[in-house]
Amino acid sequence: MNPERIFDEFPAPSFRGNQREALADVRSAFEGDNDVVLVRAPTGSGKSLLARAIAGCARRVDEADPSDSTGAYYTTPQVSQLDDVAEEPLLDDLKIIRGKRNYSCILPGEHDTPVNRAPCAREKGYDCSVKHRCPYFSDRAIASNREIAAMTLAYFMRTAGSEVFRKRDVVVIDEAHGLAEWAEMYAAIDLNPRTVPIWDDLKVPEITGLDRAVEYAERLAGTCKRRKDDLVAQPELTPGEVARRDRFQELVSELDWFVEDYRDPDSATEWVVDQPDGAGGPMTIKPMNPERYLAHTVWERGNAFALLSATILNKGAFCRQVGLDPERVALVDVGHTFPVENRPLYDVTQGKMTYEHREETIPKIARTVVRIMQEHPDEKGIVHAHSYHIQKKLAEQLEAFGVGGRVRAHGRDSRDADLDSWKATDDPDVFLSVKMEEALDLKGDLARWQVLCKAPFLNTSDSRVAHRLEHGQWAWYYRAALRTVIQACGRVIRAPDDYGATYLADSSLLQLFDRARTDMPDWFEEQVDRTASPELPEFDPRSAGGSGGSIGHGSARQFGSGGDDGHDDSSDENESGDSDSGSNSRQNSRSRRSRKKSPMADVWDTE
């Protein structure tokens, strides 16, 4: 790559905030012979524009020898982030390619058929007469020849080894903070009635150890391969049979990878197996540290890498998780340009939200949400409920208080539609959300306040989490929760002249700040130190807006069907992060300033 071009490749007509300084630091880092540069840039830094400037430094064809890698990849784990790139005029030279299911076949009678279920996927030896105009293959051909190809991380990883998307000179990964977790998720193998088409025909033994899991994986892979071959041999398949064939092939690849990696004496990957119901029950085979998986799907795909995020909190820990040598990695910190008084944190804690305390705490939080609604009678807000169980309980409480007319929510299968409906309204409605702490842009009047209902500690019943905690990795545990909180705090303030308040309802959030303080970026530590206790109105639902009745738009029916999420909520029963130790230091670290109003008050896209 040629870092000297970085300023010329910046796509905007002028710099704002700390962009010029950030690019200068990135240029120096690459010129210092670093293979990877971590760019820690908070909300509003214009990370996509910085990413474009870095990608533009990739070696060009006219500068390269025939054997040299040229061009760049831009990738992000979040579909919404890729959508934002697609809509940004300053980034129109990035050619976006998505998975086949995102494109429709253009053959007569097939216009509602996604390309991965089109005749070319259904009929053996099918020769498509319009393949040159097929939207998927056309986009793929253009992206493969464009200087910068853009795609989701899922698509990027799935194309490892592809003859079309070969190694390039530069790889830029936006929102890269969860790279290790995404890799673990992609590499995990879920075996259950939904993911294994022949589940009812299987005799699933009790898996008592990894050796037993490997033996079963080999047998299952062989069975899936035979079933896949039977389908491949047929002259024509139905769309359902195509889906089964593709799923069999995916299972074969996943199981073979596990067996090969487990038996590789040089592999650093540790595997764990969960089978909570024993013999006959579903199981998940999961990698603990997917360094080898990342090496194949990411690190072998480029010569130089730029990883951008607001929440790469600890360079050394991040490098260990993703298999990088810290000596070859530089960290560039970009300062925050949003005034701290525009992004206040307010302590409205009502107790703990661990499994054993939740039923007592939720009604108190619901009353507090009503008081916050009274404080913001004409402003939209979002409540991060953490799980569908909490969402349902809060909705029931708010409806009982008579403010249901101002409250919306989303179901499991209607997240995007319900979110878009809420964002489109001019009414000061409140949105009860689940797992929307990241990749959500609520700029301006889309939301002026938010509530964090629960400290987002990881599920300690997950075997990977339990394994790490057994080995004393508590700093990792707190860091993961802090990262989610910081991401959430950025949802309601998106520009230097924007403003939005964040209310902390779970007392464990304050404990988290104490325990993870050494990993806080300076700008967030300043935010935490200014945490204040607000003077909210006395509880009076009549002044909170709404006229009772069912919860608006995200109806009570949705809460029932989306309802009680056992997986989400059983995870909280043993959250070790919520003990009482450290409470004295919390009191010392929290500022008790009187409230001051601001002067301006995925995933997924795979083949």
Short mmCIF file of all heavy atoms in Angstrom, two decimals, residues 571-605:
data_model
loop_
_atom_site.label_atom_id
_atom_site.label_comp_id
_atom_site.label_asym_id
_atom_site.label_seq_id
_atom_site.Cartn_x
_atom_site.Cartn_y
_atom_site.Cartn_z
N SER A 571 -29.95 -17.02 30.96
CA SER A 571 -28.53 -16.65 30.94
C SER A 571 -28.16 -15.75 32.09
O SER A 571 -27.00 -15.65 32.45
CB SER A 571 -28.21 -15.95 29.62
OG SER A 571 -28.82 -14.68 29.58
N ASP A 572 -29.16 -15.08 32.67
CA ASP A 572 -28.84 -14.07 33.68
C ASP A 572 -28.78 -14.65 35.08
O ASP A 572 -28.42 -13.98 36.02
CB ASP A 572 -29.90 -12.96 33.66
CG ASP A 572 -30.02 -12.34 32.30
OD1 ASP A 572 -29.00 -12.23 31.61
OD2 ASP A 572 -31.14 -11.96 31.92
N GLU A 573 -29.16 -15.91 35.22
CA GLU A 573 -29.31 -16.46 36.55
C GLU A 573 -28.00 -16.46 37.32
O GLU A 573 -27.98 -16.28 38.53
CB GLU A 573 -29.87 -17.88 36.46
CG GLU A 573 -30.23 -18.47 37.79
CD GLU A 573 -31.06 -19.72 37.63
OE1 GLU A 573 -31.33 -20.11 36.49
OE2 GLU A 573 -31.42 -20.29 38.67
N ASN A 574 -26.90 -16.65 36.63
CA ASN A 574 -25.61 -16.74 37.32
C ASN A 574 -24.65 -15.65 36.89
O ASN A 574 -23.47 -15.89 36.75
CB ASN A 574 -24.98 -18.11 37.02
CG ASN A 574 -25.82 -19.24 37.55
OD1 ASN A 574 -26.22 -19.20 38.69
ND2 ASN A 574 -26.10 -20.22 36.71
N GLU A 575 -25.16 -14.47 36.66
CA GLU A 575 -24.28 -13.40 36.22
C GLU A 575 -23.36 -12.99 37.35
O GLU A 575 -23.75 -12.34 38.31
CB GLU A 575 -25.09 -12.19 35.75
CG GLU A 575 -25.61 -12.39 34.34
CD GLU A 575 -26.31 -11.16 33.84
OE1 GLU A 575 -26.61 -10.28 34.66
OE2 GLU A 575 -26.54 -11.07 32.63
N SER A 576 -22.12 -13.40 37.23
CA SER A 576 -21.17 -13.17 38.31
C SER A 576 -20.77 -11.72 38.43
O SER A 576 -20.21 -11.30 39.42
CB SER A 576 -19.92 -14.03 38.07
OG SER A 576 -20.28 -15.38 37.91
N GLY A 577 -21.07 -10.93 37.43
CA GLY A 577 -20.65 -9.54 37.46
C GLY A 577 -21.48 -8.67 38.37
O GLY A 577 -21.22 -7.49 38.53
N ASP A 578 -22.55 -9.23 38.98
CA ASP A 578 -23.47 -8.40 39.71
C ASP A 578 -23.34 -8.51 41.23
O ASP A 578 -24.27 -8.27 41.96
CB ASP A 578 -24.92 -8.77 39.32
CG ASP A 578 -25.26 -8.25 37.94
OD1 ASP A 578 -24.51 -7.40 37.44
OD2 ASP A 578 -26.27 -8.69 37.37
N SER A 579 -22.19 -8.89 41.72
CA SER A 579 -22.02 -8.97 43.17
C SER A 579 -21.89 -7.57 43.76
O SER A 579 -21.73 -6.59 43.06
CB SER A 579 -20.78 -9.80 43.50
OG SER A 579 -19.63 -9.17 43.01
N ASP A 580 -21.94 -7.46 45.08
CA ASP A 580 -21.95 -6.15 45.72
C ASP A 580 -20.58 -5.58 45.97
O ASP A 580 -20.45 -4.44 46.41
CB ASP A 580 -22.68 -6.26 47.07
CG ASP A 580 -24.17 -6.41 46.88
OD1 ASP A 580 -24.70 -5.81 45.92
OD2 ASP A 580 -24.81 -7.13 47.67
N SER A 581 -19.52 -6.34 45.73
CA SER A 581 -18.20 -5.82 46.02
C SER A 581 -17.90 -4.61 45.17
O SER A 581 -18.31 -4.51 44.03
CB SER A 581 -17.15 -6.90 45.75
OG SER A 581 -17.16 -7.26 44.40
N GLY A 582 -17.19 -3.68 45.74
CA GLY A 582 -16.81 -2.49 44.97
C GLY A 582 -17.80 -1.35 45.10
O GLY A 582 -17.65 -0.33 44.45
N SER A 583 -18.86 -1.48 45.94
CA SER A 583 -19.87 -0.43 45.99
C SER A 583 -19.34 0.87 46.59
O SER A 583 -19.75 1.96 46.21
CB SER A 583 -21.09 -0.91 46.80
OG SER A 583 -20.70 -1.26 48.12
N ASN A 584 -18.40 0.79 47.54
CA ASN A 584 -17.87 2.02 48.12
C ASN A 584 -17.11 2.84 47.10
O ASN A 584 -17.25 4.06 47.03
CB ASN A 584 -16.94 1.67 49.31
CG ASN A 584 -17.73 1.12 50.48
OD1 ASN A 584 -18.91 1.42 50.62
ND2 ASN A 584 -17.07 0.32 51.31
N SER A 585 -16.28 2.15 46.29
CA SER A 585 -15.55 2.90 45.27
C SER A 585 -16.49 3.48 44.25
O SER A 585 -16.23 4.52 43.67
CB SER A 585 -14.53 1.98 44.57
OG SER A 585 -15.18 0.92 43.92
N ARG A 586 -17.64 2.80 44.03
CA ARG A 586 -18.61 3.35 43.10
C ARG A 586 -19.13 4.70 43.61
O ARG A 586 -19.27 5.65 42.86
CB ARG A 586 -19.79 2.37 42.95
CG ARG A 586 -20.84 2.85 41.98
CD ARG A 586 -22.02 1.89 41.92
NE ARG A 586 -22.81 1.95 43.13
CZ ARG A 586 -23.24 0.90 43.78
NH1 ARG A 586 -22.91 -0.29 43.40
NH2 ARG A 586 -23.96 1.04 44.88
N GLN A 587 -19.44 4.75 44.90
CA GLN A 587 -19.95 6.01 45.43
C GLN A 587 -18.91 7.11 45.31
O GLN A 587 -19.24 8.27 45.07
CB GLN A 587 -20.35 5.81 46.91
CG GLN A 587 -21.53 4.86 47.10
CD GLN A 587 -22.80 5.39 46.50
OE1 GLN A 587 -22.99 6.60 46.41
NE2 GLN A 587 -23.67 4.50 46.06
N ASN A 588 -17.63 6.76 45.51
CA ASN A 588 -16.58 7.77 45.41
C ASN A 588 -16.40 8.26 43.98
O ASN A 588 -16.07 9.42 43.76
CB ASN A 588 -15.26 7.19 45.92
CG ASN A 588 -15.32 6.93 47.41
OD1 ASN A 588 -16.08 7.57 48.12
ND2 ASN A 588 -14.52 5.97 47.87
N SER A 589 -16.60 7.35 43.02
CA SER A 589 -16.29 7.71 41.64
C SER A 589 -17.43 8.46 40.97
O SER A 589 -17.24 9.09 39.95
CB SER A 589 -15.97 6.46 40.83
OG SER A 589 -17.12 5.65 40.71
N ARG A 590 -18.64 8.37 41.50
CA ARG A 590 -19.77 8.99 40.83
C ARG A 590 -19.93 10.44 41.26
O ARG A 590 -19.90 10.79 42.42
CB ARG A 590 -21.06 8.25 41.17
CG ARG A 590 -21.41 7.17 40.19
CD ARG A 590 -22.80 6.67 40.45
NE ARG A 590 -22.84 5.88 41.67
CZ ARG A 590 -23.90 5.77 42.44
NH1 ARG A 590 -24.99 6.41 42.16
NH2 ARG A 590 -23.85 5.04 43.52
N SER A 591 -20.13 11.28 40.30
CA SER A 591 -20.39 12.68 40.58
C SER A 591 -21.86 12.87 40.91
O SER A 591 -22.72 12.27 40.30
CB SER A 591 -20.03 13.53 39.36
OG SER A 591 -20.52 14.84 39.53
N ARG A 592 -22.17 13.69 41.89
CA ARG A 592 -23.56 13.95 42.27
C ARG A 592 -23.95 15.39 41.94
O ARG A 592 -24.63 16.07 42.70
CB ARG A 592 -23.75 13.70 43.77
CG ARG A 592 -23.61 12.23 44.15
CD ARG A 592 -24.73 11.42 43.56
NE ARG A 592 -24.64 10.04 43.95
CZ ARG A 592 -25.50 9.10 43.57
NH1 ARG A 592 -26.47 9.42 42.75
NH2 ARG A 592 -25.35 7.87 43.98
N ARG A 593 -23.57 15.83 40.76
CA ARG A 593 -23.93 17.19 40.35
C ARG A 593 -25.43 17.27 40.15
O ARG A 593 -26.09 16.32 39.77
CB ARG A 593 -23.24 17.54 39.04
CG ARG A 593 -21.73 17.58 39.13
CD ARG A 593 -21.15 17.88 37.76
NE ARG A 593 -19.70 18.00 37.82
CZ ARG A 593 -18.88 16.97 37.78
NH1 ARG A 593 -19.35 15.76 37.67
NH2 ARG A 593 -17.58 17.15 37.84
N SER A 594 -25.99 18.44 40.38
CA SER A 594 -27.41 18.64 40.09
C SER A 594 -27.61 18.56 38.59
O SER A 594 -26.70 18.83 37.81
CB SER A 594 -27.87 20.01 40.61
OG SER A 594 -27.13 21.03 39.98
N ARG A 595 -28.81 18.19 38.19
CA ARG A 595 -29.07 17.97 36.78
C ARG A 595 -28.97 19.28 36.01
O ARG A 595 -29.46 20.31 36.43
CB ARG A 595 -30.46 17.37 36.58
CG ARG A 595 -30.74 17.14 35.12
CD ARG A 595 -32.02 16.41 34.92
NE ARG A 595 -32.17 16.15 33.50
CZ ARG A 595 -33.24 15.63 32.97
NH1 ARG A 595 -34.24 15.32 33.72
NH2 ARG A 595 -33.32 15.43 31.68
N LYS A 596 -28.34 19.21 34.85
CA LYS A 596 -28.21 20.38 33.98
C LYS A 596 -28.67 19.99 32.60
O LYS A 596 -28.14 19.10 31.97
CB LYS A 596 -26.75 20.84 33.92
CG LYS A 596 -26.54 22.03 32.99
CD LYS A 596 -25.08 22.41 32.97
CE LYS A 596 -24.82 23.58 32.02
NZ LYS A 596 -23.40 23.93 31.97
N LYS A 597 -29.74 20.64 32.12
CA LYS A 597 -30.26 20.35 30.80
C LYS A 597 -29.26 20.81 29.76
O LYS A 597 -28.66 21.87 29.87
CB LYS A 597 -31.59 21.06 30.57
CG LYS A 597 -32.72 20.55 31.44
CD LYS A 597 -33.42 19.39 30.82
CE LYS A 597 -34.34 19.85 29.73
NZ LYS A 597 -35.16 18.77 29.20
N SER A 598 -29.10 20.03 28.72
CA SER A 598 -28.23 20.45 27.63
C SER A 598 -28.80 21.69 26.97
O SER A 598 -30.01 21.82 26.81
CB SER A 598 -28.12 19.34 26.59
OG SER A 598 -27.57 19.83 25.41
N PRO A 599 -27.96 22.63 26.57
CA PRO A 599 -28.47 23.82 25.90
C PRO A 599 -29.11 23.48 24.55
O PRO A 599 -29.86 24.29 24.01
CB PRO A 599 -27.20 24.68 25.71
CG PRO A 599 -26.07 23.71 25.77
CD PRO A 599 -26.51 22.66 26.73
N MET A 600 -28.87 22.26 24.03
CA MET A 600 -29.47 21.86 22.76
C MET A 600 -30.21 20.51 22.87
O MET A 600 -30.64 19.97 21.85
CB MET A 600 -28.39 21.77 21.69
CG MET A 600 -27.67 23.07 21.43
SD MET A 600 -26.31 22.90 20.27
CE MET A 600 -25.09 22.07 21.28
N ALA A 601 -30.48 20.17 24.26
CA ALA A 601 -31.06 18.84 24.61
C ALA A 601 -30.86 17.71 23.47
O ALA A 601 -31.20 16.65 23.64
CB ALA A 601 -32.55 18.90 24.97
N ASP A 602 -28.77 -7.09 12.22
CA ASP A 602 -27.85 -7.55 11.81
C ASP A 602 -27.88 -8.04 12.42
O ASP A 602 -28.30 -9.58 12.12
CB ASP A 602 -28.57 -7.18 11.63
CG ASP A 602 -28.05 -6.96 11.12
OD1 ASP A 602 -28.18 -7.02 10.49
OD2 ASP A 602 -28.07 -6.99 10.05
N VAL A 603 -27.77 -10.67 11.30
CA VAL A 603 -27.24 -10.33 10.87
C VAL A 603 -26.93 -10.94 9.92
O VAL A 603 -26.43 -11.26 9.48
CB VAL A 603 -27.43 -9.46 11.76
CG1 VAL A 603 -27.28 -8.64 11.82
CG2 VAL A 603 -26.44 -8.88 12.22
N TRP A 604 -27.46 -9.76 9.39
CA TRP A 604 -26.72 -10.90 8.80
C TRP A 604 -27.07 -10.99 7.34
O TRP A 604 -28.19 -11.01 6.92
CB TRP A 604 -27.10 -12.17 9.50
CG TRP A 604 -26.64 -12.12 10.90
CD1 TRP A 604 -27.24 -11.48 11.93
CD2 TRP A 604 -25.45 -12.68 11.39
NE1 TRP A 604 -26.48 -11.64 13.05
CE2 TRP A 604 -25.38 -12.38 12.74
CE3 TRP A 604 -24.43 -13.42 10.81
CZ2 TRP A 604 -24.34 -12.79 13.53
CZ3 TRP A 604 -23.40 -13.84 11.59
CH2 TRP A 604 -23.36 -13.52 12.94
N ASP A 605 -26.05 -11.09 6.68
CA ASP A 605 -26.22 -11.16 5.23
C ASP A 605 -25.22 -12.16 4.70
O ASP A 605 -24.04 -11.86 4.60
CB ASP A 605 -25.98 -9.77 4.63
CG ASP A 605 -26.02 -9.78 3.12
OD1 ASP A 605 -26.60 -10.73 2.57
OD2 ASP A 605 -25.47 -8.86 2.51
#
